[in-house]
Amino acid sequence: MVKRSKAHHFVPKVLQKAFCCRGNEIWFSRKKTDRFTAPELTPTEKAFVVPNYYSILDGRGLSDVVEKEFYGKIDNYLGSMLPDVLSAFDRGEVPVFSGNALDSLRRIVFELVKRTPDFTKSYSDHKIGLEIAEATLLSVENGNKDSQYRCDILKILDDPEKLKAIGRSVRVKAVISSSDRIWPELEEFSVRWAISESKHSFILSSMIAYRVGNGGSNGLSNPNMEIWMPIAPKVALVLLRDRLGKVPLKVIESAEHIRKVNQYAIANSMQVGSHSQRLLESLTGQRSKFGMMLQNERREHS
């Protein structure tokens, strides 16, 4: 039997790769209550991951079919696309997406927007499962169905893990469902690249891709809405509407704007990562233990 996948990365490891500072380690911090933890060097295996986050219930129990068949394909796409794009920039070229390649990229980015726990953080899996079980129990009682079915529902209501599994299945299936209304909107978006040519860098966050309203809502109906997705410390992919072609394919970003993009990520994300210890410390306001050790060593030798 094939072993079921349990460690589900909502920020794919292939996306984390460019933000690693050494080997497969990334400076990583998570928000607890209203503050971030001190940044720590963390293997990508343990960053941006939740056990069974995309597991759904089937007739035999928990299934990883969504993780492997749906998000696995997205990760494979990113594993091919990201190195090609970054290699092009290394050669001094600017990647261009058009036709089917552009359509695929738009859809992938939109799935990444929905993929993160930050997208559904207002709804806990347990709460979703509880609401479904309570509604089912009410319908059973109103319909005078057999008592055994009612007893089964009552057992579920008394089982937090079962409620969580039910709610998780509903949440996952809702997130990956396709809407015919979305695709015509997405077809209006073009690809642009935001580049840093200074010492300033983008961070990686659990939001993955940021919907920026530019003074309006961050929904697709806002003609000024943009989607920003950092793919490396010096490169962010941007989807925007530019029917007249006024925005250059590559835009060199100012230090101030990069800082604003990072601060937006910090304010709206539960987890963040970076290749730079100092950058993450600056944004989170937390000093890493490693940094404090070096500071103490300098004091001892001064």
Side-chain angles (χ1 to χ4, degrees), residues 5-16 24 28 42-54 67 71-72 74-75 78 112 115-117 206 208 271:
S5 171
K6 297 180 181 179
H8 297 175
H9 287 81
F10 50 89
V11 177
K13 288 183 287 184
V14 294
L15 182 53
Q16 295 184 50
N24 71 330
F28 180 72
T42 304
T44 55
E45 286 287 342
K46 297 183 179 180
F48 303 106
V49 61
V50 176
N52 289 309
Y53 189 67
Y54 304 114
E67 166 69 4
Y71 290 118
I74 289 177
D75 293 354
L78 293 173
L112 291 173
R115 178 175 183 165
T116 166
S206 52
I208 308 176
Q271 300 178 16

Side-chain angles (χ1 to χ4, degrees), residues 100-210:
N100 291 335
L102 176 58
D103 185 55
S104 295
L105 181 61
R106 292 178 184 129
R107 290 175 180 246
I108 292 295
V109 171
F110 187 69
E111 292 300 338
L112 291 173
V113 168
K114 300 186 297 173
R115 178 175 183 165
T116 166
D118 290 338
F119 184 75
T120 56
K121 59 187 175 184
S122 299
Y123 307 94
S124 72
D125 291 343
H126 180 272
K127 182 179 179 181
I128 296 171
L130 180 62
E131 290 177 352
I132 291 172
E134 288 177 340
T136 303
L137 179 62
L138 183 62
S139 67
V140 168
E141 291 174 341
N142 291 340
N144 296 317
K145 292 189 178 181
D146 64 273
S147 59
Q148 182 57 53
Y149 186 51
R150 182 177 183 277
C151 288
D152 292 341
I153 300 300
L154 288 172
K155 287 181 180 178
I156 292 174
L157 280 167
D158 201 35
D159 187 341
E161 287 303 314
K162 187 68 173 179
L163 290 173
K164 183 178 179 180
I166 292 171
R168 180 172 56 220
S169 289
V170 172
R171 184 252 304 160
V172 171
K173 291 176 182 178
V175 166
I176 67 173
S177 64
S178 178
S179 172
D180 291 338
R181 295 179 302 169
I182 297 297
W183 307 131
E185 296 277 2
L186 283 179
E187 288 176 357
E188 298 178 0
F189 284 80
S190 303
V191 174
R192 299 293 184 266
W193 303 101
I195 306 297
S196 171
E197 292 188 346
S198 66
K199 63 180 182 179
H200 301 279
S201 301
F202 296 103
I203 63 170
L204 183 65
S205 93
S206 52
M207 286 185 72
I208 308 176
Y210 322 142

Side-chain angles (χ1 to χ4, degrees), residues 110 182 185 189 211-214 216-227 241:
F110 187 69
I182 297 297
E185 296 277 2
F189 284 80
R211 292 176 295 162
V212 181
N214 289 311
S217 75
N218 64 359
L220 289 175
S221 60
N222 175 10
N224 297 317
M225 190 273 275
E226 301 173 355
I227 301 176
R241 292 178 174 94

